[in-house]
C-alpha cells in the first residue's frame, strides 16, 4: 500500500511540474491575454477612482479591488515568454525590449512584488470601507503600476 502511494505521489509531482513549465497559447494569444488583463485592471482602477472622487460606494470599491488583486496574483508573468517581446495581440505590444533582457529579471521581480503587495493591501483596505484610507492606498497602488510603466512600457501609439 505504501509503495503505491509513493508512486502516485511521484507521478502527481512529475505531472504538475510538467504542467507548470508548459507554455500555453501562441505568442499572439499570450500578448492578447495580458493586454486584456491590463485593460480589466485599468477599468477597475477607474471604478475605484470614480468612487473616491464621487459618491463612495463600498461594494463597488471592494469588487474592483478584488478583481485587481486576483489579476495581480494570477501568475501573469507566464505570459511574458521570450517570443512575446514583439507582436500583436489586440494591438502591438507595448513592452520595451529591456523587459526581456536577463539583467532585468531582478528589477522586474521587485516591481512585480511591490505591485502584488499594494494590490493585496488595496483589497484589504477596501473591505474596511474607509474612503480616506482607500484613497491613500489607491495612490500607492497607482505608483506601483507607474514603476513598471516608466521602466518597461513603450508609449502607446495613437
Amino acid at each position: 500500500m505504501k509503495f503505491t502511494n509513493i508512486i502516485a505521489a511521484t507521478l502527481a509531482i512529475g505531472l504538475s511540474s510538467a504542467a507548470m513549465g508548459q507554455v500555453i497559447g501562441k505568442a499572439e494569444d499570450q500578448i492578447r491575454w495580458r493586454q486584456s488583463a491590463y485593460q480589466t485592471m485599468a477599468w477597475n482602477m477607474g471604478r475605484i477612482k470614480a468612487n473616491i472622487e464621487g459618491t463612495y460606494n463600498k461594494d463597488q470599491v471592494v469588487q474592483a479591488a478584488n478583481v485587481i488583486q486576483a489579476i495581480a496574483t494570477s501568475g501573469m508573468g507566464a505570459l511574458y515568454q521570450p517570443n512575446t517581446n514583439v507582436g500583436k495581440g489586440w494591438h502591438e505590444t507595448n513592452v520595451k525590449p529591456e523587459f526581456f533582457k536577463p539583467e532585468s529579471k531582478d528589477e522586474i521581480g521587485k516591481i512585480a512584488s511591490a505591485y502584488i503587495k499594494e494590490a493585496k493591501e488595496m483589497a484589504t483596505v477596501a473591505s474596511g470601507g474607509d474612503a480616506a484610507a482607500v484613497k491613500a492606498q489607491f495612490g500607492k497602488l497607482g505608483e506601483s503600476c507607474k514603476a513598471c510603466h516608466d521602466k518597461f512600457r513603450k508609449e502607446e501609439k495613437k
Side-chain angles (χ1 to χ4, degrees):
M1 190 69 148
K2 284 184 180 180
F3 184 69
T4 41
N5 288 344
I6 292 171
I7 291 173
T10 304
L11 182 59
I13 290 170
L15 290 175
S16 66
S17 296
M20 287 181 0
Q22 185 177 20
V23 175
I24 299 172
K26 298 177 282 187
E28 59 267 19
D29 293 333
Q30 292 176 27
I31 294 168
R32 189 176 314 109
W33 294 333
R34 68 185 189 223
Q35 288 171 346
S36 296
Y38 289 124
Q39 284 299 318
T40 301
M41 284 194 286
W43 176 63
N44 282 283
M45 291 288 283
R47 291 175 68 200
I48 295 170
K49 183 177 181 184
N51 275 275
I52 291 168
E53 293 177 348
T55 302
Y56 190 82
N57 181 310
K58 178 186 173 188
D59 292 337
Q60 288 180 11
V61 173
V62 168
Q63 289 169 353
N66 286 341
V67 169
I68 293 167
Q69 176 184 303
I71 295 172
T73 61
S74 70
M76 263 183 49
L79 297 175
Y80 287 91
Q81 297 299 316
N83 62 339
T84 66
N85 57 332
V86 293
K88 190 172 185 173
W90 300 113
H91 54 80
E92 283 295 319
T93 183
N94 292 327
V95 181
K96 289 181 179 178
E98 294 82 6
F99 184 92
F100 295 91
K101 293 183 178 178
E103 60 269 18
S104 297
K105 185 178 178 181
D106 289 342
E107 186 173 9
I108 293 166
K110 288 177 188 172
I111 291 170
S113 293
Y115 179 73
I116 289 168
K117 174 189 169 287
E118 299 303 343
K120 287 179 177 180
E121 187 62 20
M122 182 81 251
T124 299
V125 170
S127 69
D130 180 343
V134 166
K135 184 176 183 177
Q137 183 56 34
F138 182 75
K140 293 176 185 177
L141 179 60
E143 285 299 313
S144 68
C145 291
K146 189 176 180 321
C148 190
H149 288 204
D150 288 350
K151 184 76 178 177
F152 296 111
R153 184 176 186 218
K154 294 182 230 172
E155 291 298 318
E156 287 188 44
K157 297 175 185 170
K158 299 192 183 196

